[in-house]
Amino acid sequence: MKRSIPLAIVMVGGILFIIQYFIPHQHSQTLFDYYTEWAPIVGAFALVLGVGSLSRLHSHKIKRKAKNWQYSYAVLIPLFLVPFFALIMPESLGGGMLETMGGARTTQGVFDFTYMNIQVPIQATMFSLLAFYIASAAFRAFRAKSALATVLLLAAIIVMLGQVPIGELLGKWFPKVGLWILRYPNLGAKRAIALGVGFGMLATQLKIIFGVERNWLGGAGE
Amino acid sequence: MLRKVPAMLLALLLAAGLAWAQAEDPPPAESPGAGETVEAVEEDMVMEEVESNTEPSAISATIGDGMISPGGIVVSDWPNDAGDALLVTFEPGSETGSENHTGYAIYRRTLGEEELVLVGTLDIDEETEFVDGYDPDFIVEPGVQYEYQVAAVYLSGAEVLSDMVMAQKVAGGQIFHTGKVRVLVGCVLFLGLILFYFHAAQRGVEMYLRPIAGIEAIDEAIGRATEMGKPILYVPGLSYISDVATIASITILGRVAKKVAEYGTPLLVPNRDPIVYTIAEETVKQAYMEAGRPDAFDKDSVFFLTQSQFAFVAGVNGIMMREKPATNFYLGMFWAESLILAETGSLSGAIQIAGTDAVTQLPFFITTCDYTLIGEELYAASAYLGREPKQLGSIKGQDACKGIIMAVITLGIILSLTDIIAGTDTLGWLRNLVTMPVVD
Amino acid sequence: MNIWEKMLNVDRRWIFLLIGIACIVPFFIPLGLPILPSAEVIGIYDHIEGLGPDNAIFVGFDFDPGTAAENMPMGVAVLRHAFARNIPVFVTAYTPLGQGMAAMAVEELTNESSADYFEYVNWEDWAAIREQGITDRAGIEEAWTAEGNSLPENARGWIFEGRDIALLGYLPYFHLVILGMSSSIASQFPTDIGGTPLEEMPMYQEHKSLREIDLAVTNAGSSACVAWITYGREKIGLPVAFGVTAVMATDYYIYIQSGQTVGQMGGLRGAAEYEVLLHDNGYSKEYGKAFVGMDVQNIAHLLIIFLVVIGNIAFFAGGFNKKTKLKGRR
């Protein structure tokens, strides 16, 4: 029962929405509108489960005095403090837009402050790690080990030079060839993978709708 | 020698591109939508500045000579909709050339009601047709009988009204969207093929699947972690459960968790999406039960980290550096964080198996991981691991679908070559056959 | 361990250090090399150039602070272009943090200390003009200056809230929001983020649904582009343009060739190209941040190519191409 009901829901829902796609009638549209209203609500409830999991994990760590348990406070305190501030200072929910617009700065909200001074720099730092890691990975992995790898290597160098103005100084044709690689050979390969992925998705979705694939229910497919 | 053929071909292609690029400027901008620009601008010239519920008679000033009312109003049902739009067409009258004639105003009322409502205006240089119902303030109800009146608007503010016309049609929703016939044919064809192979596999038809190194290495990687007594890190991607890559990843997680439960190896599954987290937890719990070790399941092994992309990466990287897992799995959907994850994992010395359908992230995984499942190989993983007939059948079905696409592409190449040589336009015919216009 | 092997097994922190230096130095010694705009970026520029106060566009700040270095200059450049041409702009965000990014972009363009800034006129400040029933752009500006307001010397123009810009912000499940906006923008965003009802805004009254919008530019660091294409372009024919990170750019050439987008800005280079177009056509006196950032890319790309070449020399000179494995890890 625990399995057959969700399976039935998926099967009926899946087939229904395939059919719905082809029917523009108002009843079909109403059904779709219902779905679009329900989906975010379900998602919002799931977030509660997520927060529950995070709180449980870190409170366990604190209770057990596990390794680095002190850091768990750094997770738990902001986790509850931020929504608390949002509740008592609703204006801080505005993302700080009104406070800073048009040069007419007034007070900064808590959200605005943490966003500008913590979240923005931290996230930018994380993303900027890519530059370092790309250099290191390129150094270790880009080897002209075979004829194919050599072509790949040459194409990479041309595209990299073509992307920056200095490449144009070195040779007028760098940007042109770089763009040509992006527009044609790159596109061909992308399309090939995209087609495979598309059919893979189609088959997986069919497997889910017809109950062949059941692992998403929890369990190892038995 | 044969093995070098693809490389030589690629090199030849590269040289051709180089020669081509030197010979001429980049292709003529491909300016997609260059035609659309004009269309869009024109479309927007629908002036709705006079959007008040003013009665037309109230604003009609003195009607001068040569001001003639529009006529021939025809109201038809807008096709392929939910019955919420009507198409109003009319004859412009004879004075369209007049400089003082600025446009048209379209009025509507429900049959039996007194009040007329201005539902839209058209500029003089637009076509004399109007889709009523797109304006959310003046919606068209299905099955309701309306009356229409069109006014020619002059510079002085004078409006010359046509006769009131009862709409020849009421709005109604259609049962089938005729613009989607090609999609339907494609659906029937491809779904049919996949279902056919499902059944063929069930009937016991032998199916060969080429070995995929990444999938075969999964057991080896779990074994390595067990030997080293270190945990296994499994990241089920950063996307939502609606993503097929996530579902495929959850399937593989089930298999991995079962093995892990048998060996008694610690498992860590950080999640970015709360729904994925709940499903991952259920999956791992179930796997432990199936392995006969429900007591060994640690509730804290599957956990939600954060929804923020880079905060999640920071969290997972922290786990890698602190816990030093012996094996890292990155299976599912990844974005810009892929290299940051995999390179950190490589720094920590773990054996890494990745798999994603995010094409742009594949190069990062290939350079930093020991094995990478490319694109659809990720979806195929569950079939490989389970070896259930239906699962195998689905893969064969996919191959058959790809065969059809390859045939169409080959046909396209032949037709375009024919077009170049013979100067015909046969490719256009194929393009029209397989592409779909804007549907709504 | 010979010199080649040592070279191949160099501690990666040395590489990190070199990249760090390559990223910092160009900020102090600018190169200012010329950048040639590509057809993909010109496509977006020309499209916006063909629009005016009677049209309207959407600009999506569909990225998190992580990719702001690449996406932000694109958003700023497109907004600058739209403001200069008095095109009404609806600003949205695909992610919660994108809303803050949008605010930062508007702040950058309206800050008195920045060059070529726009003077922001709050919704309440021009209420009297609205009460007179003036809603057209030229009329509003005329009435506003007639009230004794004069444009500061270094400002480029006025931005009237509700006429030139509506900050709609973030909503969850944004693909469904796009779908909903194809019928009515106000059904999804009844108010802007400041609480001003959309129904009262002149720009909304002239453009009530996505069907009446002439372009949606999505500056994205994730899958937002696909959502705009699927629910905007394919469903109602909304012209869509992309601003994507360099890593993602290769993914979206498919949509350019199929004619589903009017153009694409790829990474910092794409943003810099747009800035060059704005500068060369008199929309700004100075280039923006992306143009400056291209100096860093110049040096970083050269360094990475140098490292790859050195790596290969060591690989072949050390004869590792004949051995199956290096002694050290990788």
Side-chain angles (χ1 to χ4, degrees), chain A residues 32 97 100-101 105 115 127 142 144 160 163 166 183 187, chain C residues 40 66 97 99 103 107 120 179 193 257 269 298 301 312:
Chain A
F32 188 70
M97 280 189 176
T100 56
M101 206 187 299
R105 265 165 262 244
Y115 179 80
F127 189 69
F142 266 4
M160 280 182 78
Q163 284 290 305
I166 214 159
R183 280 177 182 156
L187 213 60
Chain C
E40 287 82 359
L97 299 181
Q99 183 168 315
E107 155 79 4
Y120 196 91
L179 201 64
I193 57 145
Q257 215 180 48
R269 161 99 196 191
N298 273 315
H301 278 207
N312 275 283

PDB file of all heavy atoms in Angstrom, chain A residues 32 97 100-101 105 115 127 142 144 160 163 166 183 187, chain C residues 40 66 97 99 103 107 120 179 193 257 269 298 301 312:
ATOM      1  N   PHE A  32      -3.976  22.332 -15.215  1.00  0.00           N
ATOM      2  CA  PHE A  32      -2.569  22.749 -15.209  1.00  0.00           C
ATOM      3  C   PHE A  32      -2.350  23.899 -14.220  1.00  0.00           C
ATOM      4  O   PHE A  32      -1.351  23.929 -13.504  1.00  0.00           O
ATOM      5  CB  PHE A  32      -2.150  23.163 -16.621  1.00  0.00           C
ATOM      6  CG  PHE A  32      -0.685  23.430 -16.742  1.00  0.00           C
ATOM      7  CD1 PHE A  32       0.230  22.387 -16.677  1.00  0.00           C
ATOM      8  CD2 PHE A  32      -0.212  24.721 -16.891  1.00  0.00           C
ATOM      9  CE1 PHE A  32       1.587  22.631 -16.768  1.00  0.00           C
ATOM     10  CE2 PHE A  32       1.149  24.972 -16.983  1.00  0.00           C
ATOM     11  CZ  PHE A  32       2.052  23.925 -16.926  1.00  0.00           C
ATOM     12  N   MET A  97      16.854  46.871  -1.209  1.00  0.00           N
ATOM     13  CA  MET A  97      16.744  47.660  -2.431  1.00  0.00           C
ATOM     14  C   MET A  97      16.293  49.078  -2.149  1.00  0.00           C
ATOM     15  O   MET A  97      16.870  50.035  -2.635  1.00  0.00           O
ATOM     16  CB  MET A  97      15.732  47.019  -3.355  1.00  0.00           C
ATOM     17  CG  MET A  97      16.303  45.869  -4.109  1.00  0.00           C
ATOM     18  SD  MET A  97      15.133  45.388  -5.320  1.00  0.00           S
ATOM     19  CE  MET A  97      16.046  44.134  -6.142  1.00  0.00           C
ATOM     20  N   THR A 100      18.782  51.643  -0.494  1.00  0.00           N
ATOM     21  CA  THR A 100      19.987  52.150  -1.133  1.00  0.00           C
ATOM     22  C   THR A 100      19.722  52.774  -2.505  1.00  0.00           C
ATOM     23  O   THR A 100      20.631  53.214  -3.163  1.00  0.00           O
ATOM     24  CB  THR A 100      20.999  51.005  -1.323  1.00  0.00           C
ATOM     25  OG1 THR A 100      20.365  49.985  -2.059  1.00  0.00           O
ATOM     26  CG2 THR A 100      21.479  50.467   0.000  1.00  0.00           C
ATOM     27  N   MET A 101      18.470  52.791  -2.911  1.00  0.00           N
ATOM     28  CA  MET A 101      18.229  53.210  -4.280  1.00  0.00           C
ATOM     29  C   MET A 101      18.295  54.722  -4.466  1.00  0.00           C
ATOM     30  O   MET A 101      17.933  55.493  -3.606  1.00  0.00           O
ATOM     31  CB  MET A 101      16.867  52.721  -4.720  1.00  0.00           C
ATOM     32  CG  MET A 101      16.812  52.565  -6.208  1.00  0.00           C
ATOM     33  SD  MET A 101      15.198  52.200  -6.697  1.00  0.00           S
ATOM     34  CE  MET A 101      14.915  50.710  -5.862  1.00  0.00           C
ATOM     35  N   ARG A 105      20.223  56.892   0.621  1.00  0.00           N
ATOM     36  CA  ARG A 105      20.439  55.812   1.579  1.00  0.00           C
ATOM     37  C   ARG A 105      19.853  56.157   2.945  1.00  0.00           C
ATOM     38  O   ARG A 105      20.070  57.250   3.452  1.00  0.00           O
ATOM     39  CB  ARG A 105      21.931  55.578   1.762  1.00  0.00           C
ATOM     40  CG  ARG A 105      22.449  54.484   0.888  1.00  0.00           C
ATOM     41  CD  ARG A 105      23.937  54.594   0.884  1.00  0.00           C
ATOM     42  NE  ARG A 105      24.321  55.301  -0.318  1.00  0.00           N
ATOM     43  CZ  ARG A 105      25.042  54.739  -1.261  1.00  0.00           C
ATOM     44  NH1 ARG A 105      25.440  53.515  -1.114  1.00  0.00           N
ATOM     45  NH2 ARG A 105      25.365  55.402  -2.336  1.00  0.00           N
ATOM     46  N   TYR A 115      23.882  40.426   3.724  1.00  0.00           N
ATOM     47  CA  TYR A 115      23.971  40.087   2.296  1.00  0.00           C
ATOM     48  C   TYR A 115      25.193  40.753   1.669  1.00  0.00           C
ATOM     49  O   TYR A 115      26.001  40.101   1.014  1.00  0.00           O
ATOM     50  CB  TYR A 115      22.690  40.569   1.604  1.00  0.00           C
ATOM     51  CG  TYR A 115      22.650  40.319   0.121  1.00  0.00           C
ATOM     52  CD1 TYR A 115      22.326  39.066  -0.376  1.00  0.00           C
ATOM     53  CD2 TYR A 115      22.928  41.340  -0.782  1.00  0.00           C
ATOM     54  CE1 TYR A 115      22.286  38.835  -1.733  1.00  0.00           C
ATOM     55  CE2 TYR A 115      22.892  41.113  -2.147  1.00  0.00           C
ATOM     56  CZ  TYR A 115      22.565  39.863  -2.618  1.00  0.00           C
ATOM     57  OH  TYR A 115      22.529  39.634  -3.975  1.00  0.00           O
ATOM     58  N   PHE A 127      33.375  31.203  -6.050  1.00  0.00           N
ATOM     59  CA  PHE A 127      33.362  31.085  -7.509  1.00  0.00           C
ATOM     60  C   PHE A 127      34.736  31.398  -8.092  1.00  0.00           C
ATOM     61  O   PHE A 127      35.156  30.784  -9.068  1.00  0.00           O
ATOM     62  CB  PHE A 127      32.311  32.030  -8.100  1.00  0.00           C
ATOM     63  CG  PHE A 127      32.080  31.809  -9.581  1.00  0.00           C
ATOM     64  CD1 PHE A 127      31.469  30.649 -10.028  1.00  0.00           C
ATOM     65  CD2 PHE A 127      32.471  32.750 -10.514  1.00  0.00           C
ATOM     66  CE1 PHE A 127      31.257  30.436 -11.380  1.00  0.00           C
ATOM     67  CE2 PHE A 127      32.269  32.540 -11.866  1.00  0.00           C
ATOM     68  CZ  PHE A 127      31.648  31.379 -12.295  1.00  0.00           C
ATOM     69  N   PHE A 142      46.007  18.559 -19.441  1.00  0.00           N
ATOM     70  CA  PHE A 142      46.125  18.826 -20.881  1.00  0.00           C
ATOM     71  C   PHE A 142      47.450  18.320 -21.435  1.00  0.00           C
ATOM     72  O   PHE A 142      48.446  19.042 -21.450  1.00  0.00           O
ATOM     73  CB  PHE A 142      45.989  20.334 -21.138  1.00  0.00           C
ATOM     74  CG  PHE A 142      44.582  20.752 -21.460  1.00  0.00           C
ATOM     75  CD1 PHE A 142      43.545  19.842 -21.422  1.00  0.00           C
ATOM     76  CD2 PHE A 142      44.308  22.060 -21.806  1.00  0.00           C
ATOM     77  CE1 PHE A 142      42.251  20.224 -21.716  1.00  0.00           C
ATOM     78  CE2 PHE A 142      43.011  22.461 -22.105  1.00  0.00           C
ATOM     79  CZ  PHE A 142      41.983  21.534 -22.052  1.00  0.00           C
ATOM     80  N   ALA A 144      49.382  16.250 -24.707  1.00  0.00           N
ATOM     81  CA  ALA A 144      49.226  15.798 -26.089  1.00  0.00           C
ATOM     82  C   ALA A 144      49.587  14.318 -26.178  1.00  0.00           C
ATOM     83  O   ALA A 144      50.498  13.916 -26.895  1.00  0.00           O
ATOM     84  CB  ALA A 144      50.114  16.635 -26.997  1.00  0.00           C
ATOM     85  N   MET A 160      40.993  29.852 -26.296  1.00  0.00           N
ATOM     86  CA  MET A 160      41.409  30.713 -25.172  1.00  0.00           C
ATOM     87  C   MET A 160      42.005  32.016 -25.676  1.00  0.00           C
ATOM     88  O   MET A 160      41.710  33.085 -25.147  1.00  0.00           O
ATOM     89  CB  MET A 160      42.447  29.982 -24.306  1.00  0.00           C
ATOM     90  CG  MET A 160      41.798  28.993 -23.352  1.00  0.00           C
ATOM     91  SD  MET A 160      43.011  28.204 -22.323  1.00  0.00           S
ATOM     92  CE  MET A 160      43.320  29.487 -21.145  1.00  0.00           C
ATOM     93  N   GLN A 163      39.384  34.345 -27.180  1.00  0.00           N
ATOM     94  CA  GLN A 163      38.475  34.988 -26.231  1.00  0.00           C
ATOM     95  C   GLN A 163      39.026  36.282 -25.647  1.00  0.00           C
ATOM     96  O   GLN A 163      38.293  37.061 -25.062  1.00  0.00           O
ATOM     97  CB  GLN A 163      38.149  34.022 -25.086  1.00  0.00           C
ATOM     98  CG  GLN A 163      37.171  32.927 -25.442  1.00  0.00           C
ATOM     99  CD  GLN A 163      35.766  33.454 -25.659  1.00  0.00           C
ATOM    100  OE1 GLN A 163      35.200  34.102 -24.808  1.00  0.00           O
ATOM    101  NE2 GLN A 163      35.214  33.206 -26.841  1.00  0.00           N
ATOM    102  N   ILE A 166      44.279  40.057 -26.345  1.00  0.00           N
ATOM    103  CA  ILE A 166      45.703  39.850 -26.615  1.00  0.00           C
ATOM    104  C   ILE A 166      45.896  38.811 -27.733  1.00  0.00           C
ATOM    105  O   ILE A 166      46.869  38.882 -28.494  1.00  0.00           O
ATOM    106  CB  ILE A 166      46.445  39.449 -25.309  1.00  0.00           C
ATOM    107  CG1 ILE A 166      47.857  40.021 -25.334  1.00  0.00           C
ATOM    108  CG2 ILE A 166      46.471  37.962 -25.077  1.00  0.00           C
ATOM    109  CD1 ILE A 166      48.506  40.143 -23.982  1.00  0.00           C
ATOM    110  N   ARG A 183      31.166  27.809 -32.809  1.00  0.00           N
ATOM    111  CA  ARG A 183      29.895  27.796 -33.538  1.00  0.00           C
ATOM    112  C   ARG A 183      29.619  26.483 -34.250  1.00  0.00           C
ATOM    113  O   ARG A 183      28.466  26.132 -34.462  1.00  0.00           O
ATOM    114  CB  ARG A 183      29.884  28.910 -34.580  1.00  0.00           C
ATOM    115  CG  ARG A 183      29.572  30.264 -33.999  1.00  0.00           C
ATOM    116  CD  ARG A 183      29.664  31.294 -35.077  1.00  0.00           C
ATOM    117  NE  ARG A 183      29.417  32.627 -34.548  1.00  0.00           N
ATOM    118  CZ  ARG A 183      29.867  33.727 -35.115  1.00  0.00           C
ATOM    119  NH1 ARG A 183      30.599  33.653 -36.195  1.00  0.00           N
ATOM    120  NH2 ARG A 183      29.603  34.896 -34.589  1.00  0.00           N
ATOM    121  N   LEU A 187      29.314  22.955 -31.415  1.00  0.00           N
ATOM    122  CA  LEU A 187      27.863  22.818 -31.465  1.00  0.00           C
ATOM    123  C   LEU A 187      27.446  21.408 -31.867  1.00  0.00           C
ATOM    124  O   LEU A 187      26.493  20.844 -31.320  1.00  0.00           O
ATOM    125  CB  LEU A 187      27.334  23.828 -32.485  1.00  0.00           C
ATOM    126  CG  LEU A 187      25.981  24.411 -32.185  1.00  0.00           C
ATOM    127  CD1 LEU A 187      26.021  25.134 -30.857  1.00  0.00           C
ATOM    128  CD2 LEU A 187      25.578  25.369 -33.282  1.00  0.00           C
TER     129      LEU A 187
ATOM    130  N   GLU C  40      27.097  37.952 -31.915  1.00  0.00           N
ATOM    131  CA  GLU C  40      26.112  37.551 -30.909  1.00  0.00           C
ATOM    132  C   GLU C  40      25.737  38.728 -30.004  1.00  0.00           C
ATOM    133  O   GLU C  40      24.587  38.891 -29.626  1.00  0.00           O
ATOM    134  CB  GLU C  40      26.664  36.401 -30.046  1.00  0.00           C
ATOM    135  CG  GLU C  40      26.731  35.055 -30.732  1.00  0.00           C
ATOM    136  CD  GLU C  40      27.964  34.883 -31.609  1.00  0.00           C
ATOM    137  OE1 GLU C  40      28.763  35.833 -31.690  1.00  0.00           O
ATOM    138  OE2 GLU C  40      28.113  33.811 -32.214  1.00  0.00           O
ATOM    139  N   GLY C  66      27.914  34.712  -6.529  1.00  0.00           N
ATOM    140  CA  GLY C  66      29.072  33.945  -6.984  1.00  0.00           C
ATOM    141  C   GLY C  66      29.503  34.308  -8.390  1.00  0.00           C
ATOM    142  O   GLY C  66      30.683  34.466  -8.678  1.00  0.00           O
ATOM    143  N   LEU C  97      18.817  35.463  -4.133  1.00  0.00           N
ATOM    144  CA  LEU C  97      19.911  36.412  -3.998  1.00  0.00           C
ATOM    145  C   LEU C  97      20.042  37.317  -5.226  1.00  0.00           C
ATOM    146  O   LEU C  97      20.686  38.347  -5.188  1.00  0.00           O
ATOM    147  CB  LEU C  97      21.229  35.673  -3.741  1.00  0.00           C
ATOM    148  CG  LEU C  97      21.258  34.846  -2.462  1.00  0.00           C
ATOM    149  CD1 LEU C  97      22.606  34.178  -2.273  1.00  0.00           C
ATOM    150  CD2 LEU C  97      20.947  35.704  -1.251  1.00  0.00           C
ATOM    151  N   GLN C  99      17.783  39.079  -6.424  1.00  0.00           N
ATOM    152  CA  GLN C  99      17.086  40.340  -6.139  1.00  0.00           C
ATOM    153  C   GLN C  99      18.053  41.400  -5.608  1.00  0.00           C
ATOM    154  O   GLN C  99      17.998  42.558  -6.002  1.00  0.00           O
ATOM    155  CB  GLN C  99      15.980  40.076  -5.124  1.00  0.00           C
ATOM    156  CG  GLN C  99      15.165  41.290  -4.809  1.00  0.00           C
ATOM    157  CD  GLN C  99      13.903  40.939  -4.043  1.00  0.00           C
ATOM    158  OE1 GLN C  99      13.205  40.000  -4.382  1.00  0.00           O
ATOM    159  NE2 GLN C  99      13.613  41.693  -3.005  1.00  0.00           N
ATOM    160  N   ALA C 103      19.313  45.020  -7.245  1.00  0.00           N
ATOM    161  CA  ALA C 103      19.371  46.280  -6.493  1.00  0.00           C
ATOM    162  C   ALA C 103      20.746  46.920  -6.628  1.00  0.00           C
ATOM    163  O   ALA C 103      20.864  48.138  -6.793  1.00  0.00           O
ATOM    164  CB  ALA C 103      19.060  46.019  -5.028  1.00  0.00           C
ATOM    165  N   GLU C 107      21.561  50.494  -8.176  1.00  0.00           N
ATOM    166  CA  GLU C 107      22.325  51.400  -7.307  1.00  0.00           C
ATOM    167  C   GLU C 107      23.548  51.944  -8.061  1.00  0.00           C
ATOM    168  O   GLU C 107      23.834  53.136  -8.025  1.00  0.00           O
ATOM    169  CB  GLU C 107      22.735  50.623  -6.054  1.00  0.00           C
ATOM    170  CG  GLU C 107      23.970  51.096  -5.312  1.00  0.00           C
ATOM    171  CD  GLU C 107      23.698  52.310  -4.445  1.00  0.00           C
ATOM    172  OE1 GLU C 107      22.537  52.722  -4.383  1.00  0.00           O
ATOM    173  OE2 GLU C 107      24.663  52.863  -3.871  1.00  0.00           O
ATOM    174  N   TYR C 120      17.435  59.165 -10.162  1.00  0.00           N
ATOM    175  CA  TYR C 120      16.269  58.321  -9.865  1.00  0.00           C
ATOM    176  C   TYR C 120      15.155  59.157  -9.257  1.00  0.00           C
ATOM    177  O   TYR C 120      15.378  59.893  -8.301  1.00  0.00           O
ATOM    178  CB  TYR C 120      16.697  57.223  -8.894  1.00  0.00           C
ATOM    179  CG  TYR C 120      15.726  56.074  -8.804  1.00  0.00           C
ATOM    180  CD1 TYR C 120      15.868  54.968  -9.635  1.00  0.00           C
ATOM    181  CD2 TYR C 120      14.682  56.097  -7.897  1.00  0.00           C
ATOM    182  CE1 TYR C 120      14.991  53.908  -9.564  1.00  0.00           C
ATOM    183  CE2 TYR C 120      13.798  55.035  -7.823  1.00  0.00           C
ATOM    184  CZ  TYR C 120      13.955  53.949  -8.657  1.00  0.00           C
ATOM    185  OH  TYR C 120      13.067  52.899  -8.583  1.00  0.00           O
ATOM    186  N   LEU C 179       5.499  31.506 -16.957  1.00  0.00           N
ATOM    187  CA  LEU C 179       4.287  30.964 -17.579  1.00  0.00           C
ATOM    188  C   LEU C 179       3.078  31.843 -17.232  1.00  0.00           C
ATOM    189  O   LEU C 179       2.282  32.205 -18.099  1.00  0.00           O
ATOM    190  CB  LEU C 179       4.067  29.541 -17.050  1.00  0.00           C
ATOM    191  CG  LEU C 179       3.197  28.609 -17.861  1.00  0.00           C
ATOM    192  CD1 LEU C 179       3.832  28.332 -19.200  1.00  0.00           C
ATOM    193  CD2 LEU C 179       3.006  27.305 -17.112  1.00  0.00           C
ATOM    194  N   ILE C 193       8.781  45.404  -5.474  1.00  0.00           N
ATOM    195  CA  ILE C 193       9.320  45.032  -4.156  1.00  0.00           C
ATOM    196  C   ILE C 193       9.096  46.118  -3.109  1.00  0.00           C
ATOM    197  O   ILE C 193       9.153  45.853  -1.926  1.00  0.00           O
ATOM    198  CB  ILE C 193      10.825  44.698  -4.228  1.00  0.00           C
ATOM    199  CG1 ILE C 193      11.591  45.870  -4.809  1.00  0.00           C
ATOM    200  CG2 ILE C 193      11.080  43.434  -4.994  1.00  0.00           C
ATOM    201  CD1 ILE C 193      12.927  46.026  -4.190  1.00  0.00           C
ATOM    202  N   GLN C 257      22.019  29.487 -33.024  1.00  0.00           N
ATOM    203  CA  GLN C 257      21.955  28.980 -34.386  1.00  0.00           C
ATOM    204  C   GLN C 257      20.526  28.627 -34.796  1.00  0.00           C
ATOM    205  O   GLN C 257      20.153  28.800 -35.944  1.00  0.00           O
ATOM    206  CB  GLN C 257      22.862  27.758 -34.533  1.00  0.00           C
ATOM    207  CG  GLN C 257      23.505  27.702 -35.889  1.00  0.00           C
ATOM    208  CD  GLN C 257      24.398  26.498 -36.023  1.00  0.00           C
ATOM    209  OE1 GLN C 257      24.018  25.388 -35.686  1.00  0.00           O
ATOM    210  NE2 GLN C 257      25.588  26.719 -36.529  1.00  0.00           N
ATOM    211  N   ARG C 269      33.910  38.603 -21.396  1.00  0.00           N
ATOM    212  CA  ARG C 269      34.178  39.095 -22.750  1.00  0.00           C
ATOM    213  C   ARG C 269      32.886  39.661 -23.368  1.00  0.00           C
ATOM    214  O   ARG C 269      32.893  40.740 -23.952  1.00  0.00           O
ATOM    215  CB  ARG C 269      34.730  37.948 -23.597  1.00  0.00           C
ATOM    216  CG  ARG C 269      34.641  38.150 -25.081  1.00  0.00           C
ATOM    217  CD  ARG C 269      35.924  38.623 -25.659  1.00  0.00           C
ATOM    218  NE  ARG C 269      35.738  39.162 -27.001  1.00  0.00           N
ATOM    219  CZ  ARG C 269      36.718  39.453 -27.820  1.00  0.00           C
ATOM    220  NH1 ARG C 269      37.949  39.262 -27.450  1.00  0.00           N
ATOM    221  NH2 ARG C 269      36.491  39.951 -29.001  1.00  0.00           N
ATOM    222  N   ASN C 298      43.243  38.512 -20.086  1.00  0.00           N
ATOM    223  CA  ASN C 298      44.364  38.461 -21.026  1.00  0.00           C
ATOM    224  C   ASN C 298      45.550  37.728 -20.419  1.00  0.00           C
ATOM    225  O   ASN C 298      46.079  36.770 -20.971  1.00  0.00           O
ATOM    226  CB  ASN C 298      44.822  39.883 -21.359  1.00  0.00           C
ATOM    227  CG  ASN C 298      44.037  40.471 -22.508  1.00  0.00           C
ATOM    228  OD1 ASN C 298      43.822  39.806 -23.506  1.00  0.00           O
ATOM    229  ND2 ASN C 298      43.600  41.705 -22.368  1.00  0.00           N
ATOM    230  N   HIS C 301      44.782  33.985 -19.233  1.00  0.00           N
ATOM    231  CA  HIS C 301      44.746  33.017 -20.340  1.00  0.00           C
ATOM    232  C   HIS C 301      46.156  32.720 -20.843  1.00  0.00           C
ATOM    233  O   HIS C 301      46.499  31.567 -21.098  1.00  0.00           O
ATOM    234  CB  HIS C 301      43.890  33.560 -21.493  1.00  0.00           C
ATOM    235  CG  HIS C 301      42.423  33.352 -21.282  1.00  0.00           C
ATOM    236  ND1 HIS C 301      41.522  33.246 -22.302  1.00  0.00           N
ATOM    237  CD2 HIS C 301      41.702  33.230 -20.144  1.00  0.00           C
ATOM    238  CE1 HIS C 301      40.311  33.062 -21.805  1.00  0.00           C
ATOM    239  NE2 HIS C 301      40.391  33.067 -20.500  1.00  0.00           N
ATOM    240  N   ASN C 312      53.510  20.127 -21.111  1.00  0.00           N
ATOM    241  CA  ASN C 312      53.707  19.192 -22.232  1.00  0.00           C
ATOM    242  C   ASN C 312      55.185  19.000 -22.551  1.00  0.00           C
ATOM    243  O   ASN C 312      55.610  17.894 -22.884  1.00  0.00           O
ATOM    244  CB  ASN C 312      52.945  19.677 -23.465  1.00  0.00           C
ATOM    245  CG  ASN C 312      51.502  19.223 -23.425  1.00  0.00           C
ATOM    246  OD1 ASN C 312      51.198  18.077 -23.694  1.00  0.00           O
ATOM    247  ND2 ASN C 312      50.628  20.113 -22.997  1.00  0.00           N
TER     248      ASN C 312
END
